[in-house]
Amino acid sequence: MRVVVIGGGVIGASAAYHLARMGVRDLVVVDAARGPGEGSTGKATGGFRAQFATAINVRLSLLARDKLSRMRDEIGADPGYEPRGYLWLAAGEQELARLRAARAVQHAEGLTEAVEVTPEEIARLNPAIDRAGLVGGAFCPTDGFIRPLAILRGYLAAAARLGTRFEWGAEVIGLDRAGDRITAVRTAALSLAADVVVNAGGAWAARVAALAGVDLPVAPLRRQILPTVEQSALPPEMPMTIFGDGFHLRVRDRCALLLWPDPAPDGFDVSVDPGWMDAVAAMALARVPVLRGVPIDRAGAWAGLYEMSPDRHAILGAAPGCANLYLVNGCSGHGVMHAPALGQLVAEMICGAPPSLDVSALRPSRFAEGAANPSADL
Ligand SMILES: Cc1cc2nc3c(=O)[nH]c(=O)nc-3n(C[C@H](O)[C@H](O)[C@H](O)COP(=O)(O)OP(=O)(O)OC[C@H]3O[C@@H](n4cnc5c(N)ncnc54)[C@H](O)[C@@H]3O)c2cc1C
């Protein structure tokens, strides 16, 4: 079986490794970038959580967490998984109710270590934040942090050891079709005959799908990050801390990373907005008073693209109307944490192996069927 994976970010790398491990030997990963990490994977901060609001997302996280825990043995790479916890804060009863509803789903899926926390417990878990107005929150100690580039490089190296070929600097510009199948993947310099094609094009996945005449509802969404300089006001073991309006912060390599999902412009623009930096810095100083003496590193700010699907859940499976184009798209900002699971699941589909999870909730046809997942923020 000749398989071409389009995109060598963390999703394509995981798909390639798992395909190779399941015995696919004629396997090529094609990527427009000059080398690994130039897409969204290189922009990610490396949060990992299983605290989601739908069963399928909790299940993906639990499968991924299991694989992250075993990654050193499986592929000889350290994914940097550090269970520092995710702490969600509620400023009112409505936010608390939202967290409770999500936790009921989490407990039903076996994530019983996720708990409700009182303002006093919040003070113990993160003494640095201003607790004025907080009524409670949610905490899961096994959520935490991972290293996106270590995971990417680990899967790429493992796939290469199993014989996968990589073509960097090779933008896919054409997908030849015969009937409901793709027959070849074309770049400016190559024409690769294919029995199966995997779309792992991240935020650009809709453009890739369009080359085969497939309409894929994945859109880019800019996300910006403002770091402080290296600091000691917040300890390295601080949990990811998330306010009800989406402002959140964590510590990575001694710098505090400040994030706030503002309404972003449409398109592929990844410039950092100075007005956004002013706003997020003001939020941080008001809510995390110990940061008042810590310089903000405006020059170190960066932005990247989420790959949004209409219901904020991944799209996984053969494309409607194009039977040998497999979609692993639309992770909606959770692609690094879910890559270990999604790569395995798509490889199982392609190789006809028994699925590790029931992923029917992620089927590409769900939007046309009016069966999208609930798209809660959590
Ligand atoms: C600021 C920010 C913070 C984030 N934080 C987190 C986090 O904490 N945790 C988490 O899990 N996720 C996070 N994410 C999301 C995560 O980065 C993505 O979900 C993930 O990287 C998607 O992986 P990917 O392989 O699909 O995409 P990418 O890494 O973007 O890879 C796609 C690849 O496809 C290639 N490509 C596209 N079109 C073509 C073409 N026509 N021909 C050839 N190649 C093509 C691109 O060059 C690219 O290398 C964050 C994202 C951003 C922007």
Side-chain angles (χ1 to χ4, degrees), residues 6-12 30-33 39-41 43-47 170-172 200-202 204 208 223 225 304-307 331 333-337:
I6 303 173
V10 72
I11 295 286
V30 186
D31 197 302
S40 300
T41 304
K43 305 289 179 70
T45 60
E171 182 184 1
V172 172
W204 301 267
V208 171
R223 280 291 167 257
I225 296 179
L305 298 171
Y306 278 10
E307 64 295 65
C331 294
H334 312 126
V336 178
M337 66 180 87

Side-chain angles (χ1 to χ4, degrees), residues 176-190:
D176 296 341
R177 274 185 72 151
D180 75 340
R181 302 184 75 79
I182 296 172
T183 53
V185 174
R186 281 188 290 107
T187 72
L190 299 165

Side-chain angles (χ1 to χ4, degrees), residues 70 96 108 140-141 148 156 166 172 195 197 211 213 223 227 258 263 299 339 356:
R70 292 186 290 104
L96 204 53
C140 180
L156 290 176
F166 292 90
V172 172
D195 301 307
V197 177
L211 296 173
R223 280 291 167 257
L258 311 174
S356 304

